[in-house]
Amino acid sequence: MKIGLMGGTFDPPHIGHLLIAEQAKEQLQLDAVWFLPAKLPPHKQSTGTSAEKRLQLVEAAIQCNEAFSVSDIEFERETKSYTFDTIRELKDRYPEHDFFFLIGADSLVSLGTWYRADDLYQEVRFGAVARPGSRYLIPEGAQVTAVDMPLLEVSSTDIRQRVARDRSIRYLVPEPVRQLIEEWKLYAT
């Protein structure tokens, strides 16, 4: 099976994440997309939401798409979640699967700074999704396939700020996610 992997903090997951996953599934001819919420993201100091709640938010976000699932593989570690380690573990567990790691095209510029980047290039192919103003600057050695996507400017940061200012996030996140954010009083000041 061809599996797309979508890592991130997902604080919260939003329609942009789902659109990326759907477009990558279609254009890369993937059988499924697995969302990999980071328990301890390596490039962020901390998130405002517990890892367990972020995992539940992703589960709520993807419940209507049978090709999407959540993996809690990064929750098995008590250390920071590095993509290289996650890919190695997934390949050991599922040697029959062919994995694509999905990233924004804007992240290609910094891909060479990722933990064990050169080794990572040998382990996985990348699906790079175009974002507003991004260009495909492919690091030497990385196997990258472009994924076109309608330009949509939505971010988790913007959603958190909207909630803090008591503004609507309806249609920016799936309805079950919006309901959980409201129920748990996430991001409110």
Side-chain angles (χ1 to χ4, degrees):
M1 289 182 67
K2 287 174 66 175
I3 307 295
L5 302 173
M6 191 152 173
T9 320
F10 302 112
D11 190 19
H14 53 70
I15 61 168
H17 294 127
L18 300 178
L19 186 58
I20 288 169
E22 184 65 22
Q23 292 302 307
K25 180 184 172 303
E26 178 182 288
Q27 294 174 42
L28 299 175
Q29 299 176 338
L30 303 173
D31 296 296
V33 176
W34 296 354
F35 287 73
L36 309 170
K39 180 178 181 184
L40 297 170
H43 301 297
K44 296 188 179 181
Q45 295 293 56
S46 68
T47 65
T49 310
S50 73
E52 291 72 21
K53 282 191 174 169
R54 290 185 291 104
L55 180 70
Q56 290 177 50
L57 288 170
V58 174
E59 289 170 343
I62 66 166
Q63 66 187 3
C64 293
N65 190 323
E66 61 188 33
F68 294 172
S69 62
V70 179
S71 170
D72 63 357
I73 190 168
E74 294 192 354
F75 282 64
E76 297 171 8
R77 289 189 212 111
E78 293 304 320
T79 59
K80 292 193 175 201
S81 300
Y82 292 103
T83 302
F84 175 80
D85 296 333
T86 300
I87 297 297
R88 285 295 322 136
E89 182 67 30
L90 287 169
K91 288 179 77 171
D92 287 346
R93 290 185 190 185
Y94 306 100
E96 70 281 7
H97 291 344
D98 186 17
F99 293 106
F100 280 82
F101 195 79
L102 308 177
I103 62 172
D106 54 342
S107 296
L108 288 174
V109 174
S110 64
L111 195 56
T113 67
W114 287 22
Y115 175 72
R116 296 188 63 179
D118 289 335
D119 295 327
L120 180 62
Y121 300 161
Q122 304 309 309
E123 294 294 333
V124 70
R125 290 182 284 171
F126 294 88
V129 180
R131 291 196 175 154
S134 62
R135 296 184 1 207
Y136 292 96
L137 302 171
I138 301 172
E140 187 173 335
Q143 301 172 59
V144 179
T145 303
V147 175
D148 294 323
M149 175 174 136
L151 297 182
L152 177 68
E153 293 194 48
V154 60
S155 71
S156 295
T157 300
D158 179 55
I159 291 166
R160 291 191 305 270
Q161 290 171 349
R162 285 174 177 275
V163 172
R165 292 190 313 258
D166 201 28
R167 293 186 58 202
S168 174
I169 59 169
R170 191 178 300 270
Y171 309 120
L172 294 173
V173 297
E175 184 59 15
V177 171
R178 189 192 67 74
Q179 290 172 356
L180 286 174
I181 289 171
E182 187 175 294
E183 176 185 332
W184 294 338
K185 297 182 183 0
L186 297 178
Y187 320 123
T189 54

